[in-house]
Amino acid sequence: MNRQIALPKALTDRVRLQPGDQVYVLEDERNPGVLAIVPVERITEWLRLGRATEERLDMDEREKASRDD
């Protein structure tokens, strides 16, 4: 579900958001009722890093398997 919300200026300044930036509002799993404001770019970066790590681990496993043969 997509909704537009207005964030307080102090928060947008702290997170360094610009008008038009998109964010996800996520509930903190460890602290119910606490919300985290996460810029879309940050999540994109997390995904990129996670995929790169998975690829590196897969490559390491293939190299190890080829040495074991």
Side-chain angles (χ1 to χ4, degrees):
M1 175 185 308
N2 292 330
R3 293 189 184 175
Q4 289 188 349
I5 59 172
L7 300 172
K9 182 170 178 3
L11 178 60
T12 59
D13 290 347
R14 183 173 177 200
V15 182
R16 295 187 178 121
L17 294 174
Q18 299 295 318
D21 284 352
Q22 294 181 340
V23 298
Y24 285 100
V25 179
L26 307 171
E27 185 173 12
D28 188 328
E29 293 175 353
R30 290 172 273 174
N31 300 300
V34 174
L35 300 177
I37 307 297
V38 183
V40 170
E41 293 81 10
R42 178 77 49 95
I43 291 179
T44 302
E45 181 67 9
W46 291 340
L47 290 171
R48 187 188 67 73
L49 291 171
R51 289 180 183 135
T53 299
E54 286 177 8
E55 289 173 6
R56 190 183 79 246
L57 292 173
D58 288 345
M59 192 177 307
D60 290 349
E61 286 178 16
R62 284 193 301 265
E63 288 175 1
K64 183 181 177 190
S66 68
R67 285 187 298 233
D68 291 343
D69 289 343

